[in-house]
Amino acid sequence: MFSAEGPTLRELAVQALSSVERGYDLLAPKFDATPFRTSDVVVAATEAALRPLGPFTDGLDLCCGTGAGLALLRGLCAGRSVGLDFSAGMLGVARSTEPGADLVRADARALPFADGSFDLAVSFGAFGHFLPAERPALWSGLHAALRPGGCFAFPVLGAPGPSSPWYWALLGFDAVMRARNALRKPEFVMYYRTFRLTRVLPELEAAGFQVSLLPLPQLGPAGRLVLARRPN
């Protein structure tokens, strides 16, 4: 799963026993050599689905990490491309890979943007870091950060069923993380099975979004782009 340039097992263990912020600061220099980085295929599929919905002026990559989504914004947005993350280490890598982007260190649960700052927001692979009780504040902040008619988009691949080895792998991962967080503080919040569209779509609608799903056939039959628009 990891290349020779990726983190060692010991480095991953140290990361997992740290806080989320500290863990990603430690992982940042080698993050792009891990399978945790959003793949170029996912980014390209998302960009292809969004391009006909433009033009876009200013874009936000929420929880941007090392900047995979910032390349998408650079290709779609005529104005600013802004990346937000709370890991200084991840932002440091993003600064080297996307030097033209504006990078902001902040907590996504309290977005530091004025009302109507963006007409496009995207996010890739970050939602497992938010507990279900924290998501309403996240959606509300995104709704406020978008201009009327603006959209928030993120890809989903579909949850594996019990017949898939991935179902049991993700179930086991979440169980280990819950045990770890019960025994050690600060917590490292990362749960794969708490982010389910049957819950998330009503949350987005409750925050004021108009929600639709677009197919992403490049990602398989279950690939979808969740598109949440702030009404005009």
Side-chain angles (χ1 to χ4, degrees):
M1 292 178 67
F2 294 88
S3 69
E5 293 77 27
T8 64
L9 185 60
R10 180 183 181 278
E11 288 171 329
L12 286 174
V14 170
Q15 181 218 4
L17 293 173
S18 306
S19 67
V20 179
E21 181 180 352
R22 176 59 178 159
Y24 276 103
D25 284 347
L26 293 170
L27 185 59
K30 298 183 177 182
F31 182 81
D32 285 350
T34 74
F36 307 129
R37 181 191 184 275
T38 300
S39 76
D40 293 338
V41 173
V42 172
V43 174
T46 302
E47 181 174 358
L50 287 172
R51 186 169 297 280
L53 306 179
F56 301 104
T57 303
D58 299 314
L60 169 68
D61 183 5
L62 184 77
C63 305
C64 67
T66 56
L70 288 171
L72 173 152
L73 295 180
R74 174 166 42 83
L76 290 178
C77 297
R80 293 187 306 154
S81 296
V82 178
L84 178 141
D85 205 283
F86 76 162
S87 165
M90 300 291 269
L91 289 173
V93 177
R95 188 168 289 110
S96 65
T97 59
E98 290 293 329
D102 295 335
L103 300 177
V104 178
R105 186 183 181 193
D107 190 329
R109 294 165 296 187
L111 293 177
F113 303 116
D115 185 63
S117 296
F118 305 98
D119 47 13
L120 175 64
V122 296
S123 192
F124 296 91
F127 296 124
H129 292 303
F130 300 96
L131 297 172
E134 298 172 328
R135 291 198 300 253
L138 178 65
W139 308 144
S140 178
L142 278 166
H143 187 274
L146 288 171
R147 296 168 187 142
C151 63
F152 165 50
F154 58 90
V156 292
L157 302 181
S163 62
S164 168
W166 282 107
Y167 175 92
W168 300 103
L170 298 179
L171 184 68
F173 180 92
D174 282 9
V176 169
M177 291 306 298
R178 291 187 186 280
R180 178 258 185 241
N181 290 335
L183 296 172
R184 186 180 180 91
K185 305 299 179 188
E187 295 184 354
F188 190 97
V189 176
M190 181 60 202
Y191 300 117
Y192 284 101
R193 290 171 48 82
T194 59
F195 191 79
R196 301 185 181 186
L197 284 186
T198 53
R199 297 181 181 178
V200 170
L201 299 185
E203 291 172 0
L204 289 167
E205 291 172 347
F209 287 105
Q210 295 174 343
V211 184
S212 58
L213 297 176
L214 302 180
L216 293 178
Q218 305 94 317
L219 306 184
R224 297 289 186 273
L225 185 71
V226 177
L227 190 67
R229 283 193 178 277
R230 177 174 173 172
N232 286 307

